[in-house]
Amino acid sequence: MRLDRLQLKGITRFHEPVDLDFTTIPAGLIAIVGENGSGKTTLMEAFAGAIYGELPTRGPVAKYATGKDSFIDTTVTFDGQAPLRARRNIDGVKGVQDALLERAGERLNDGKVTTFKVAVEQYFPPLDTLLASAMAVQTRRGSFATRNNAARKDLFYA
C-alpha cells in the first residue's frame, strides 16, 4: 500500500485545508519537523483517522474536529489496482460523521459510517495490524515489539 494523497481540514490545529500530494515527493529521507503542537503527529495519524475513525495516540477523530466542516480525505494505491479514496466528514459541532470509500469514481458504500466500516474491512487490515507495521506511532501503541506472544501470533494468523 502506498499513500498518495492526504487532505484534511478542521482536525486538531489544522483549521485551514492542508493538501499533501505524496506522489510529488522525491526519493530519499523525508523528515517532518516542527515545534510541539505544530501538527506532526496529526499528519502521521490522519490516515488512520480517515480509515478507522481513530487517531492512534488520541482516540476517536471526532473529538478533535474543530468545525462543522472538518474532514480527512486520503488516497492510497495497492500494487496493480486502481487507487482507493477514503473521505471522512465530521461535524465537530454536532458530532456527526459520514464517510465514503470509492475506487475509480465508483462508490463502495452509501456514505454512512456503518457501511464505510464494512467496505474498509474488505480492503484494509485491522487497525492493530497497521499499527504493528511501519505505521507504529510514537507511543508505540500496537507495536509488535511490545506485544505478548499470543498477540504476536494473532497478527500472523488473522
Side-chain angles (χ1 to χ4, degrees):
M1 176 176 72
R2 182 184 72 232
L3 181 59
D4 294 330
R5 181 175 221 121
L6 177 66
Q7 299 171 292
L8 62 129
K9 176 186 174 198
I11 306 296
T12 67
R13 69 160 320 279
F14 295 103
H15 303 292
E16 298 300 318
V18 172
D19 184 356
L20 300 171
D21 183 352
F22 295 107
T23 63
T24 64
I25 296 175
L29 179 64
I30 304 296
I32 298 175
V33 297
E35 299 292 325
N36 286 347
S38 63
K40 302 177 301 292
T41 300
T42 299
L43 288 177
M44 295 302 297
E45 295 184 346
F47 171 78
I51 302 298
Y52 303 102
E54 183 174 336
L55 299 174
T57 63
R58 297 183 176 123
V61 70
K63 288 176 36 180
Y64 298 94
T66 60
K68 61 185 206 172
D69 59 350
S70 300
F71 71 87
I72 304 175
D73 193 310
T74 188
T75 304
V76 298
T77 302
F78 294 90
D79 287 340
Q81 299 178 17
L84 278 169
R85 177 178 171 243
R87 181 173 177 109
R88 183 176 295 266
N89 296 312
I90 307 161
D91 182 334
V93 176
K94 293 182 180 177
V96 297
Q97 300 179 52
D98 60 62
L100 180 66
L101 187 64
E102 65 180 16
R103 171 172 273 153
E106 178 187 344
R107 292 178 172 215
L108 302 176
N109 74 307
D110 62 6
K112 296 178 183 174
V113 173
T114 53
T115 59
F116 178 80
K117 288 179 182 179
V118 171
V120 161
E121 288 175 358
Q122 295 177 29
Y123 297 96
F124 295 93
L127 179 58
D128 279 352
T129 304
L130 181 75
L131 292 176
S133 72
M135 284 293 296
V137 294
Q138 65 190 21
T139 62
R140 300 189 194 283
R141 179 173 166 243
S143 170
F144 185 80
T146 61
R147 291 175 174 262
N148 64 32
N149 287 340
R152 289 178 182 177
K153 284 182 184 177
D154 286 345
L155 283 174
F156 294 107
Y157 294 111

